[in-house]
Structure formats: C-alpha cells, structure tokens
Amino acid sequence: MTDAPRTAKLTFDDKELELPMYSPTAGPDVIDITKLYAQGGVFTYDPGFTSTASCDSAITYIDGGKGELLYRGYSIDELAESSNYIEVCYILLFGELPTKAQLKKFSDRITKHTMVHDQMQQMFRGFRRDAHPMAIMCGVVGALSAFYHDSTDISDPEQREHASVRMIAKIPTIAAMAYKYSVGQPFVYPDNKLDYASNFLRMCFAVPAEEYVVDPILAKAMDRIFTLHADHEQNASTSTVRLAGSSGANPFACIAAGIACLWGPAHGGANQACLEMLREIGTVDRIPEFVARAKDKNDPFRLMGFGHRVYKNFDPRAKVMKESADEVLELMGIENNETLKVAKELEKIALEDPYFKEKKLYPNVDFYSGIILDAMGFPTSMFTPIFALSRTVGWITQWQEMLNDPSQKIGRPRQLYKGATQRPYVELDKR
Ligand code: CMC
C-alpha cells in the first residue's frame, strides 16, 4: 500500500472530516476510517464486511470482476499448470519463487515433520467412530498446542516459523487419520519417500494387507486441489484465524478456529453440500424442480457450488478444476454416472438461466472439487477436511503476516446496538 496525499471528505450533522485515502498496488482504493470514532464519534456499519478492508496484505490478490487470483503476484492458472503445492507453500510463506536449493531445503523440512506425536492416536480414538472428520480436526489441531510447546511462543519468529512448518507437514497426516478412524482401518504412517500429495493419498487409501501404488494422475489432481485452495485473501476462515491470532492465541489454536469456520456450508462445507445436493437431485428430470426452489425467495434452498462473494464473472479455480475433473473421471472410467450427468446438466442450465446470469452465479471451485474427490474414492465427509488441509498454508501465512505488522492490535469490531436501553430488574415473584 502506498501513501497518497488524497483524502475523502465525510460530512454529517455539523461535522466535516477528512479521511486519508490509500491506493493499493491493485484493486480499489481504500478510505482510512481508523480515526473516525475518535474524531467524529460514529462507527461504520458493514455487516458481512462487504466494503471493508480489514488489514493490509501482500499475499493474495483477487479481482472478482476479471476472475483473477494471484498468490504473491503469480496467477493461479500458471501455478496450477507449472508449479506444485510445496512450491506454492514456499511462495506464499516467503513471498518469492524459491531457487532449486531453497525448494529442496523447504521440502525436506516439511517432510521431516509429517509424523504426529504417537500419543495423539489416543485422541483420535476418543472420538465416536461416526464423528465428522472436521469435528476431529478441530479438536486434534487445537490439541497440537498441548504437544508442541516449543513452537507456541508467538513472540519468537523462529518458533512461529517452526509452527508453520509443523502445521503444513502434519495436517495431511491428521486429515488422513481422521478418515482412517472413521472407516475403522489402521492409521497409515507417512512415507517420506513420497511427494506431499502422493503421501496423503497413500495415508488415506493404503492398508497394511496390500501394496498401494499411487496413480500419478490422481496425485497430480490432488496436488492441484491443494494448490487451488491454498489461499484466498480475507475470506471468513482466514479472517477468523487473524481475529483469533490478534489476541495472541497460539498458532495451533488459531488454525483450529479457522477449521471450525471453514466447516460451514456457505464456505468450505459447500463441496460436501454440493455433492449431496447432486445426489439428492438424483436424475436429470428433477433439475427444474431444484432450480425453481433456488429461485424461490420463500425457500431457503440454494444451489450449492454456485455463486461467490467476490467472483462475479467466473471462479478461476473452477476453470482449472473442471479440466482436472475431466482427466480424473476418464481415468476412473466414470464419465457417465448419474451424479455426473446431473452435474453437467445443472451447470448448463444454471449458466443459461436468466436468474443465475443476472445474479452472476457461476459454478465455483466446490462444484467441481466435490466431483473429483468423489471419483477418487473420498466420502463426502472428507471433502471439507481436504479443503482445510490445503488452506492451512494460507491461514498460517496470513497469521504470520499479521503478527509481523507493527500496527497489529487485537481485532475488536463495534456494533449498531438495537437492544433495550437500561431498565430495572424485576424480582421473579413480581413478574
Ligand atoms: N443459489 C441460489 N441463489 C443464490 C445463490 C445460490 N447458490 N447464491 C446467491 N444467490 C442469490 C441470493 O439469494 C441473493 O438473491 P437476492 O439478491 O434476490 O436476495 C443474491 O444471489 C446474492 O446472494 P448473497 O447471499 O447476497 O451473496 P453473498 O456474496 O453473500 O454469498 C455465497 C456468496 C457463496 C455465500 C452464496 O453464493 C452461496 O450461498 N452459495 C452456495 C454455497 C457455496 O457454493 N459456497 C462456496 C463458495 S466457494 C468456496 C469458498 O471460497 O468458500
């Protein structure tokens, strides 16, 4: 952000305030209202933060109109095509493309931390078998702070980096263990000969009784899913991580907070909700009924996997994901199952329907990721944990950036109070 001498004038009642304006390197200018309350005695009102920049950041840029997503200035299309998730993690965390030596060192470092403390197995076993893996992840990730005391001092940059590496390294192991536990299979330890995505697939799908060979097409598709979900600027879960971190909470607790927020169906939970919706629709002839419900103002039903707060043209992640979906479905020989037919037809209808065109509701990343993950053999309950796994690097990078900001202070929004003003308490026997 560069300081510009421009100001915005705000006039209300008998007051006139001059508010500083800043121009970002890309995106709309911002009006600095930090002194608004002190100087004008008023708050701003912006539920859902639709017009609020909550921080300054140099990590991820989204142009919703153009359908552009950049990590540290590198486009998601190029990264999905030419890079890989571990390199993307490096780019996000450290801001620049790594040299070969830097990448190897970073990759080796991540690999060395893939195992979790063996005692953590007891934690998993404490959950009911039918627990949702996101519930397990919220608990287990929060509990990391009880196991890794040497990386919870947030005032020490080395500990912060150590915690970041640990989080990125251990989250696939935790997600895979949550899955294995839910299907009653033994936990599979990581195999550090494998790359990040292959290792995750093996930890999910290998069993001790049989040899498991990772299919490179599946590994590539998995890596792409991780890459496409790695960060997405100040979305709900990232803002949650920042808000939790702003109080000085330890990194593992902050990531657990992010996981909890991601779980909701309007956010990361949409991939699960989307596939369940496609299955509920069941056959192509039932699509009009569901489209009509989505348009009905009196019906809370929404077409899951459609629409986005920021992307109002197309979701660039969805474009890449669609290509991957085609490859995976061909490999798995399921180009024409009923759910897929429903998905394809629904996509076509929604793209042509005036309601969806007018409201700029396009298929988002979750529309296609659910289809790929289903084809790979993941149950729907694992879709959101995989999103959480991928987004961990984004959360931890944003958390680090926040703590490195000298102007950082505890996040504390205000409110437009509409409740009762002070009134006397009435004793129970007098009511
Ligand atoms: N189906 C039907 N109508 C919709 C949908 C939908 N999926 N999404 C938005 N609308 C309508 C909504 O009813 C509203 O209509 P009106 O103007 O008549 O009141 C209008 O479009 C604007 O909706 P909004 O709720 O004000 O938009 P938002 O920016 O607050 O919500 C959203 C964005 C993603 C929460 C929403 O589009 C949605 O609920 N989509 C389905 C869930 C989903 O797929 N979420 C994944 C997002 S991508 C992954 C991620 O980054 O988390």
Side-chain angles (χ1 to χ4, degrees):
M1 188 166 71
T2 53
D3 285 272
R6 278 194 308 146
T7 55
K9 279 201 175 51
L10 178 67
T11 319
F12 60 97
D13 301 335
D14 57 348
K15 295 193 176 109
E16 184 174 300
L17 301 183
E18 284 212 26
L19 304 167
M21 288 187 71
Y22 307 117
S23 296
T25 48
D29 291 349
V30 300
I31 300 172
D32 179 350
I33 53 153
T34 46
K35 303 265 177 340
L36 184 64
Y37 179 53
Q39 293 173 357
V42 291
F43 299 142
T44 53
Y45 180 60
D46 185 19
F49 308 119
T50 51
S51 302
T52 296
S54 60
C55 58
D56 53 76
S57 179
I59 303 169
T60 293
Y61 175 69
I62 301 172
D63 185 325
K66 278 202 250 163
E68 183 177 75
L69 170 59
L70 310 177
Y71 295 160
R72 300 283 190 188
Y74 301 104
S75 99
I76 194 68
D77 304 71
E78 265 190 287
L79 292 172
E81 181 62 37
S82 314
S83 184
N84 60 61
Y85 184 67
I86 283 296
E87 186 178 51
V88 163
C89 290
Y90 184 99
I91 296 169
L92 285 168
L93 269 177
F94 303 108
E96 298 296 335
L97 294 175
T99 61
K100 264 190 196 159
Q102 285 168 329
L103 184 59
K104 171 147 189 352
K105 195 169 158 209
F106 178 68
S107 177
D108 288 350
R109 209 173 152 198
I110 296 285
T111 304
K112 284 204 182 81
H113 286 279
T114 48
M115 282 174 68
V116 293
H117 194 292
D118 226 42
Q119 206 183 327
M120 291 199 89
Q121 291 196 14
Q122 316 310 325
M123 288 216 50
F124 284 87
R125 297 204 163 97
F127 285 92
R128 276 172 59 134
R129 280 282 175 199
D130 59 356
H132 194 288
M134 282 299 274
I136 300 182
M137 284 182 78
C138 290
V140 171
V141 170
L144 288 175
S145 46
F147 285 86
Y148 299 101
H149 301 284
D150 58 345
S151 51
T152 52
D153 177 0
I154 63 156
S155 64
D156 177 352
E158 266 183 40
Q159 290 204 26
R160 294 210 295 260
E161 193 175 304
H162 202 42
S164 306
V165 166
R166 276 186 167 144
M167 266 316 322
I168 298 167
K170 296 186 195 308
I171 196 79
T173 314
I174 292 171
M177 286 172 86
Y179 171 59
K180 283 300 200 193
Y181 184 72
S182 72
V183 288
Q185 291 181 3
F187 299 130
V188 175
Y189 284 110
D191 176 351
N192 289 347
K193 289 194 299 296
L194 297 176
D195 63 77
Y196 194 87
S198 304
N199 208 358
F200 176 64
L201 287 171
R202 185 178 160 278
M203 285 190 287
C204 288
F205 295 126
V207 286
E210 279 174 26
E211 200 192 338
Y212 179 79
V213 182
V214 184
D215 189 298
I217 295 184
L218 294 190
K220 186 176 153 212
M222 193 77 257
D223 194 278
R224 269 192 168 179
I225 289 178
F226 294 162
T227 296
L228 294 174
H229 289 85
D231 195 42
H232 215 225
E233 53 121 305
Q234 308 312 319
N235 56 82
S237 56
T238 302
S239 300
T240 302
V241 170
R242 279 188 179 253
L243 203 55
S246 77
S247 73
N250 76 67
F252 306 114
C254 296
I255 301 300
I259 293 173
C261 177
L262 186 81
W263 195 359
H267 193 9
N271 49 18
Q272 171 170 356
C274 177
L275 203 84
E276 284 167 1
M277 175 195 76
L278 295 175
R279 287 191 182 140
E280 192 195 338
I281 297 175
T283 47
V284 170
D285 58 305
R286 292 191 67 209
I287 293 177
E289 177 197 326
F290 283 82
V291 170
R293 282 186 61 196
K295 293 188 208 172
D296 182 355
K297 277 233 164 277
N298 301 316
D299 189 329
F301 174 78
R302 287 189 167 197
L303 278 188
M304 301 314 286
F306 285 81
H308 199 271
R309 168 62 63 79
V310 183
Y311 296 120
K312 297 298 177 194
N313 190 345
F314 65 94
D315 180 341
R317 303 167 300 173
K319 206 177 69 184
V320 181
M321 202 66 95
K322 191 171 157 48
E323 284 167 26
S324 272
D326 293 338
E327 273 176 36
V328 171
L329 293 168
E330 193 187 327
L331 176 81
M332 306 307 274
I334 38 177
E335 286 141 281
N336 240 353
N337 73 14
E338 208 53 52
T339 311
L340 202 61
K341 276 191 210 156
V342 171
K344 283 186 175 161
E345 190 58 22
L346 186 63
E347 178 195 23
K348 199 168 134 232
I349 291 176
L351 286 173
E352 287 165 2
D353 189 296
Y355 173 91
F356 291 90
K357 279 168 88 171
E358 190 189 300
K359 294 195 185 299
K360 301 189 186 301
L361 301 171
Y362 298 88
N364 59 45
V365 66
D366 289 329
F367 185 73
Y368 300 105
S369 65
I371 294 170
I372 303 182
L373 293 172
D374 179 53
M376 281 179 169
F378 286 103
T380 53
S381 62
M382 273 306 285
F383 294 2
T384 317
I386 289 170
F387 191 158
L389 178 180
S390 325
R391 183 56 56 82
T392 293
V393 66
W395 290 329
I396 209 81
T397 307
Q398 302 267 354
W399 171 81
Q400 288 248 29
E401 183 181 67
M402 181 195 65
L403 291 179
N404 283 322
D405 179 351
S407 66
Q408 185 266 324
K409 51 170 79 146
I410 186 166
R412 180 34 171 114
R414 303 307 298 263
Q415 62 178 1
L416 169 59
Y417 179 64
K418 289 183 168 173
T421 53
Q422 193 174 2
R423 47 184 170 163
Y425 174 76
V426 181
E427 293 299 333
L428 195 55
D429 57 357
K430 300 209 177 85
R431 280 176 233 159

